[in-house]
Amino acid sequence: DWSSDVCSSDLERIRAIELRVRFLQEQIDCLQHFLPDTYQLLMDEMDSQQRLLMELKIKSFYQETSHQP
């Protein structure tokens, strides 16, 4: 049904963003002492991805709770 499609889609987006956050963190750990400009760009992207991830997790939580009896 529609609600499971939305939740499934959100879960896929959450997983993709979690992978991106993990990748960004690995890059940040490697670069922080060598390339300060790149480090800052990665930190900004990491912040953006983490905010998006939290928004999706909150949305998914409320969708799940609104469909429970």
Side-chain angles (χ1 to χ4, degrees):
D1 72 0
W2 178 84
S3 64
S4 64
D5 291 342
V6 171
C7 291
S8 176
S9 173
D10 286 345
L11 290 175
E12 289 174 16
R13 288 185 69 200
I14 287 170
R15 286 188 201 109
I17 293 169
E18 286 174 337
L19 288 173
R20 177 128 177 98
V21 166
R22 197 170 309 129
F23 170 78
L24 288 167
Q25 186 61 56
E26 290 170 0
Q27 298 305 306
I28 288 167
D29 291 344
C30 293
L31 295 174
Q32 68 185 28
H33 301 295
F34 303 107
L35 303 169
D37 292 337
T38 302
Y39 175 78
Q40 188 58 51
L41 282 172
L42 288 169
M43 287 298 292
D44 292 345
E45 179 65 15
M46 174 75 102
D47 289 344
S48 173
Q49 293 296 313
Q50 287 178 325
R51 273 193 303 278
L52 179 57
L53 181 59
M54 187 56 62
E55 289 171 8
L56 286 170
K57 285 183 175 184
I58 291 169
K59 176 184 170 190
S60 179
F61 171 79
Y62 281 109
Q63 284 178 338
E64 288 175 18
T65 57
S66 69
H67 295 310
Q68 292 180 358

